[in-house]
Every structure is written in structure tokens, then in C-alpha cells.
Amino acid sequence: MAETGDKYLGKFQRGPATFTVYQTAKDPNVIRVDCHDNGGGPNPAATFEEGVGESPYWHGAWNRDRWCPWIVAETRKVVKKHH
């Protein structure tokens, strides 16, 4: 869920799940990915605490999910469009 001061960067989708990308801080550059799927969300899926070039912290059930590499790649595409 977007919080005050979060900057919306974009979104991507896979099946019924929509992923929304926010920049939550600039120094360091923190990126958060929220997931909204059937009946749930939006809930945090991943947080890039040191910028999108680093490995993310995965939230809850997303840790080691088979979609993780795809989520990282799509998030980086969204962020690249804004920088």
C-alpha cells in the first residue's frame, strides 16, 4: 500500500497479480514492490533497500517464490524508465 511520500514509478502484471513499484526514499534509493492479487493486497512483495541494483528483501511467502527473478527483472525495467 502506498504511504505518504511514496513516489509511484509504474506497474507490471502476471496472471491475476498486479505489481506496483514505488520509490520510498532517495538516500539511500529504496524501492518497494507491492502485489495485488485475487482477494488480497496490496501487500509488499519486495523491498530494494540499497537501490534496484542490489538484491531485494522478500516479504512473507514471496521469499524463494519461483516468480522472484521475474519480479526483479520487471522492477528494474520500471525503475529504469524513471531514471
Side-chain angles (χ1 to χ4, degrees), residues 40-52:
N43 292 300
T47 304
F48 294 80
E49 296 177 355
E50 298 295 328
V52 77

Side-chain angles (χ1 to χ4, degrees), residues 26-63:
K26 285 190 173 190
D27 188 21
N29 186 21
V30 178
I31 303 296
R32 187 183 75 243
V33 182
D34 288 350
C35 178
H36 187 278
D37 58 6
N38 284 341
N43 292 300
T47 304
F48 294 80
E49 296 177 355
E50 298 295 328
V52 77
E54 300 299 321
S55 296
Y57 166 79
W58 294 100
H59 297 268
W62 288 107
N63 195 24

